Amino acid sequence: MNITANTHANTVAAMSETNRSNILQHLYHHGVSSRAQIAKALELTPAAITKITARLIEAGVIEETGDMEGMKNRRSIGLNLDVHRFHVIGVKFARSLVQIGVFDLAGAPLSLETLPTVHDDTIAETIADIHRRVERLIAADARIVAVGMAVPGPYLRKVGRIAVVSGMQGWRKVNFIEEFQRAFAVPVFIEHDARAGVLAHSLFDPDCPLEDDLAYYLIGEGVGLGVIEHGQLVNGAIGAATEIGHISIDVNGRPCDCGNRGCLERYCSASAIHAMLVEDGEIVRGAAELTHAEACARLFAACDAGDGRAVAMVREIGRYVGYGCVTIFNAYNPKRIIIGDIVAGGGRVLLDEVRRVAAERAIPEIVSSTAISLSGLDADATVAGAAAVAVTQFLERPSLFFDVT
Amino acid sequence: MNITANTHANTVAAMSETNRSNILQHLYHHGVSSRAQIAKALELTPAAITKITARLIEAGVIEETGDMEGMKNRRSIGLNLDVHRFHVIGVKFARSLVQIGVFDLAGAPLSLETLPTVHDDTIAETIADIHRRVERLIAADARIVAVGMAVPGPYLRKVGRIAVVSGMQGWRKVNFIEEFQRAFAVPVFIEHDARAGVLAHSLFDPDCPLEDDLAYYLIGEGVGLGVIEHGQLVNGAIGAATEIGHISIDVNGRPCDCGNRGCLERYCSASAIHAMLVEDGEIVRGAAELTHAEACARLFAACDAGDGRAVAMVREIGRYVGYGCVTIFNAYNPKRIIIGDIVAGGGRVLLDEVRRVAAERAIPEIVSSTAISLSGLDADATVAGAAAVAVTQFLERPSLFFDVT
């Protein structure tokens, strides 16, 4: 009997949270709305809306605004979720690159700091530095309600560990859940980097509002992919799905730390490009002294300046990025692929080559129905994505943040 | 006002159908159950259960059974969905191979017929033959309630057309929706072949009951994949997702009709194997005169008999099938991959090589948490899958089949 009663109570609590969340999401996506508009959109009774919104107002999550134009020209009071009233922190982990940003709920970046370049033997130091910096940010800004973190894949989401980090195995020893889940005064949420990136575009990018089938193709120090399929993130059984960087484009190709051969990220990641530049020695002089990101930035600057060899190398990189797009087409058939992170700096030259390869190698029905573009967010999609992970939780689980029950 | 009223009515109708469907699915998966057990499992009121089950009994969908052991040792009346009381037809389209089977709701094959081998210039004739045969089956068996059809991908599900059929482009001209959707006295449902296959395993295979993350890897005349990710089929925006057969394993490899190079199906499909056997000329003599399926069957028989060259060729095929598994791991990270169709005839020799390649090339966390097996269904998973598509609709949309509203 007790079990049945608890199940019933849990079900009712879950339904209330769903209703609260649906109201917050309606206000987030549609802006100021009257109670009647919300009741109609969500198919809830006016009484239920009145009750739930009263609690949300009392808890300080939403607020009433002045009169607004109502339905049938009656004036009515508007409700508002002020996206500037709450802030979230986003932390991006790459291999050598860690960034921390503060964002409002609409994804506008308010501050961004880049930590000193990480080496395999400074990972512990970097972790301690992140603790200090995030604590400092939270102490300085009472509006901060959550921290989102984005870590490279394959990220074993239940365990809290990254399974492979080519060239920087030290990261595998970090347990992100143990290290950060309860580390701060506000809740912390951890997500795979490219999945965070696709959430950022889904939430913050006016070009793909609430797109049902969207892919974020992260080409940075590693190569990753986040896919929203029919409105849901593709995770896989242990969180190791959508690892485009470790899908082989040549089963007899370059060996990879993951055990596979010919992994895409061995050909077009920033680390692979950096190695190509060091070997070349001419296009970017002294490349060995630079970070991966700096070396790529110099290559792209030379390409933009019209250096023929730089243009040829960016085209070659674009070809490999394009092979990845063809795989994404055949594996997930999204409506849109957004390319982001360091290698998106290749710009128009890169994108033209990616589109050329995709058009040549995919079936016409997919080519004509799939957009490929470069990320146009104000901040890098992964650090904004870490923030998007936090915003998503804020909208979906308000009772974690406020006493609204 | 009208719009609101209609929306409300539609919502109520949808909820009733959902409740009906949940009751049918409960009985289908759990067997004979009392009204009280159903009410508890579905969190519906006893009154609602009584009302809905009365309509289902009246319409002849379910029946009352004698007394059963109830909760708390009270005797109560059981409800039963008799899986033998209704039949469905499954039609499998491959390239040269069309099969039609009659199944009960539990997926037990009652009859199976294979049509004459299809050639590019006999497709129209084959279509007419399918019409005649299905009509005859329906006329002869009043228990048949639906027809499911499974067609090769990339299948453009809204349009009703197959986008590419390597080596047999004539199939591209067939519009399956126009041709079959309203062709028979019972409803017809069309699905991608490998997605039908994964549904068959999810519904009919005792080894993977209601598995949330499951993949069916179809290696027949073409190579396809069906993926259930967190309980949902992965379709993509236009239905062209999970096309493993057209994912490249070598971007400089063999050209494919789809426009890509190095497509997996150019290396391990039954058609590719047949071509290898014809070229070899020794392992299977006179291979050129055989169908793809016959040529493969001879190869596998020679392998089973211990012919060294046949064993070596089956191992080589297994290696390519294994590369595909590694891609499936990295792309979808399912809990289980089931290999089926013609090439699964390679048996133990093939499976051992597939597992060896997967263990060598994937990360240990995935290797240890993912099962790879051969399909063990009584009938080919695609023809059973076509039936599973029909059964799924029967369970999910009872009002399409009966007057239960």
Side-chain angles (χ1 to χ4, degrees):
Chain A
M1 284 302 292
N2 234 339
I3 293 169
T4 317
N6 276 340
T7 305
H8 182 70
N10 289 341
T11 309
V12 171
M15 280 190 59
S16 307
E17 183 82 337
T18 302
N19 288 339
R20 271 192 294 272
S21 166
N22 286 341
I23 292 172
L24 288 185
Q25 295 198 44
H26 183 90
L27 292 172
Y28 183 82
H29 294 295
H30 298 91
V32 175
S33 311
S34 69
R35 288 177 177 79
Q37 285 171 325
I38 299 171
K40 191 177 169 187
L42 302 183
E43 297 184 341
L44 287 171
T45 62
I49 298 290
T50 301
K51 187 178 155 197
I52 301 168
T53 55
R55 290 294 299 130
L56 290 170
I57 292 169
E58 203 180 318
V61 194
I62 63 172
E63 65 203 356
E64 287 192 330
T65 64
D67 279 0
M68 58 176 290
E69 194 79 22
M71 285 182 291
K72 301 171 206 145
N73 296 322
R74 286 182 307 207
R75 311 293 296 178
S76 61
I77 293 166
L79 294 175
N80 184 39
L81 169 62
D82 181 357
V83 293
H84 310 299
R85 191 167 174 181
F86 304 104
H87 296 162
V88 294
I89 292 177
V91 182
K92 168 185 180 165
F93 292 86
R95 283 152 207 207
S96 72
L97 186 77
V98 173
Q99 286 182 305
I100 303 178
V102 179
F103 295 80
D104 68 17
L105 294 188
L110 306 171
S111 73
L112 187 67
E113 46 195 300
T114 301
L115 272 65
T117 302
V118 188
H119 302 281
D120 223 349
D121 55 356
T122 63
I123 288 175
E125 207 174 298
T126 300
I127 299 274
D129 194 10
I130 293 167
H131 277 277
R132 280 193 301 272
R133 287 173 188 249
V134 171
E135 275 164 18
R136 203 182 306 144
L137 287 169
I138 293 173
D141 180 355
R143 297 182 177 213
I144 290 171
V145 290
V147 177
M149 296 188 158
V151 304
Y155 175 67
L156 309 170
R157 52 197 303 121
K158 283 175 200 158
V159 183
R161 260 192 338 99
I162 305 170
V164 193
V165 195
S166 309
M168 211 134 152
Q169 297 289 335
W171 280 117
R172 293 178 55 196
K173 295 181 193 132
V174 179
N175 187 306
F176 286 85
I177 292 177
E178 287 174 12
E179 190 66 50
F180 292 112
Q181 187 116 75
R182 286 180 185 79
F184 306 114
V186 298
V188 176
F189 306 98
I190 305 166
E191 184 53 275
H192 172 272
D193 54 4
R195 280 173 214 151
V198 76
L199 278 181
H201 283 280
S202 171
L203 272 190
F204 305 148
D205 184 348
D207 285 345
C208 40
L210 298 176
E211 190 85 83
D212 277 344
D213 299 278
L214 187 65
Y216 176 67
Y217 185 9
L218 181 163
I219 315 178
E221 295 193 293
V223 174
L225 182 71
V227 176
I228 293 178
E229 144 82 8
H230 282 46
Q232 299 292 322
L233 278 176
V234 176
N235 281 314
I238 60 169
T242 66
E243 285 301 334
I244 188 82
H246 295 292
I247 292 183
S248 176
I249 57 166
D250 177 359
V251 291
N252 301 307
R254 303 177 187 167
C256 176
D257 286 351
C258 75
N260 207 355
R261 295 187 78 99
C263 290
L264 181 62
E265 72 173 34
R266 300 284 288 108
Y267 299 85
C268 62
S269 63
S271 355
I273 296 169
H274 193 183
M276 284 158 67
L277 289 169
V278 170
E279 196 188 343
D280 170 272
E282 299 270 329
I283 303 173
V284 173
R285 289 182 182 273
E289 310 307 314
L290 304 174
T291 65
H292 301 326
E294 287 162 355
C296 290
R298 296 269 186 95
L299 167 67
F300 299 142
C303 173
D304 288 344
D307 173 339
R309 297 191 51 201
V311 171
M313 190 184 273
V314 172
R315 285 209 183 113
E316 190 190 341
I317 297 161
R319 193 153 50 80
Y320 283 101
V321 174
Y323 296 149
C325 277
V326 176
T327 296
I328 296 169
F329 283 176
N330 284 312
Y332 309 104
N333 175 213
K335 277 206 195 97
R336 177 185 288 269
I337 298 175
I338 297 164
I339 300 170
D341 217 293
I342 297 170
V343 179
R348 196 72 216 184
V349 174
L350 182 103
L351 185 61
D352 283 347
E353 187 65 11
V354 170
R355 289 177 173 161
R356 192 189 64 70
V357 169
E360 184 181 287
R361 295 193 170 218
I363 58 174
E365 291 85 350
I366 294 194
V367 173
S368 65
S369 63
T370 318
I372 304 176
S373 56
L374 301 176
S375 177
L377 292 180
D378 288 339
D380 168 81
T382 304
V383 65
V389 170
V391 172
T392 302
Q393 294 294 321
F394 180 91
L395 296 174
E396 289 185 357
R397 299 158 73 191
S399 65
L400 275 186
F401 300 86
F402 299 97
D403 176 19
V404 286
T405 56
Chain B
M1 281 304 289
N2 236 340
I3 293 168
T4 315
N6 277 341
T7 305
H8 182 69
N10 289 340
T11 309
V12 170
M15 280 189 59
S16 307
E17 183 81 337
T18 302
N19 289 339
R20 270 191 295 271
S21 166
N22 287 341
I23 292 171
L24 288 185
Q25 295 198 44
H26 183 89
L27 292 172
Y28 184 81
H29 294 296
H30 298 91
V32 175
S33 312
S34 70
R35 290 178 176 79
Q37 286 171 325
I38 299 172
K40 192 178 168 186
L42 302 182
E43 297 184 338
L44 287 170
T45 62
I49 298 290
T50 302
K51 186 178 156 198
I52 300 169
T53 56
R55 289 294 300 129
L56 290 170
I57 292 168
E58 202 181 320
V61 194
I62 62 174
E63 65 203 355
E64 288 191 331
T65 64
D67 278 2
M68 58 176 289
E69 193 79 22
M71 285 184 291
K72 301 171 206 143
N73 296 321
R74 286 181 308 207
R75 311 293 297 177
S76 62
I77 293 166
L79 294 175
N80 184 38
L81 169 61
D82 181 357
V83 293
H84 311 298
R85 190 166 174 182
F86 304 104
H87 297 163
V88 295
I89 293 176
V91 182
K92 169 185 180 165
F93 292 87
R95 282 152 208 207
S96 70
L97 188 76
V98 173
Q99 287 183 304
I100 303 178
V102 178
F103 295 80
D104 69 16
L105 293 188
L110 306 171
S111 73
L112 187 66
E113 48 194 298
T114 301
L115 273 64
T117 303
V118 188
H119 302 279
D120 224 350
D121 54 357
T122 63
I123 290 175
E125 208 173 298
T126 301
I127 298 273
D129 195 10
I130 294 167
H131 277 277
R132 278 192 304 271
R133 288 172 186 249
V134 171
E135 274 163 18
R136 202 181 307 143
L137 288 168
I138 293 172
D141 181 355
R143 297 182 178 215
I144 291 171
V145 290
V147 177
M149 297 188 157
V151 302
Y155 175 65
L156 310 171
R157 52 197 304 121
K158 282 175 201 159
V159 183
R161 261 194 336 101
I162 305 170
V164 193
V165 194
S166 309
M168 211 134 150
Q169 298 290 334
W171 281 117
R172 293 179 56 197
K173 294 180 196 134
V174 179
N175 187 307
F176 287 84
I177 293 178
E178 287 173 13
E179 190 65 50
F180 292 111
Q181 188 116 73
R182 287 182 186 75
F184 307 113
V186 298
V188 177
F189 307 98
I190 305 165
E191 184 53 275
H192 173 273
D193 55 4
R195 278 171 217 152
V198 76
L199 277 180
H201 283 279
S202 171
L203 272 190
F204 305 147
D205 184 348
D207 286 344
C208 41
L210 299 175
E211 190 85 84
D212 277 344
D213 298 278
L214 186 65
Y216 177 67
Y217 185 8
L218 181 164
I219 316 179
E221 295 193 295
V223 174
L225 182 71
V227 176
I228 294 180
E229 144 83 7
H230 283 48
Q232 298 293 322
L233 279 177
V234 176
N235 282 314
I238 60 170
T242 68
E243 285 303 333
I244 188 81
H246 294 293
I247 292 183
S248 177
I249 58 165
D250 177 358
V251 291
N252 301 308
R254 302 177 187 166
C256 177
D257 287 351
C258 75
N260 206 355
R261 295 187 78 98
C263 289
L264 181 62
E265 72 173 34
R266 299 285 286 108
Y267 299 86
C268 62
S269 62
S271 356
I273 296 168
H274 193 183
M276 283 158 66
L277 289 169
V278 170
E279 196 187 345
D280 171 90
E282 299 271 332
I283 303 174
V284 174
R285 288 181 185 276
E289 309 308 312
L290 304 174
T291 65
H292 301 325
E294 287 162 355
C296 289
R298 297 267 187 97
L299 167 67
F300 298 143
C303 173
D304 289 344
D307 172 339
R309 296 189 53 199
V311 172
M313 190 183 274
V314 173
R315 285 210 183 110
E316 190 190 340
I317 296 161
R319 195 153 50 79
Y320 284 101
V321 174
Y323 297 149
C325 277
V326 175
T327 296
I328 295 169
F329 282 177
N330 284 312
Y332 309 104
N333 176 212
K335 277 205 195 96
R336 178 185 287 270
I337 298 175
I338 296 164
I339 300 171
D341 219 292
I342 298 169
V343 180
R348 195 73 216 182
V349 173
L350 182 103
L351 185 60
D352 284 348
E353 187 65 12
V354 171
R355 288 177 173 162
R356 193 188 65 70
V357 169
E360 184 182 288
R361 296 191 170 220
I363 58 173
E365 291 86 349
I366 294 194
V367 173
S368 65
S369 65
T370 317
I372 304 176
S373 56
L374 300 178
S375 177
L377 292 180
D378 288 339
D380 168 81
T382 303
V383 66
V389 170
V391 174
T392 302
Q393 294 294 322
F394 180 90
L395 296 174
E396 290 185 356
R397 298 159 74 190
S399 66
L400 274 186
F401 300 86
F402 300 97
D403 176 18
V404 287
T405 56

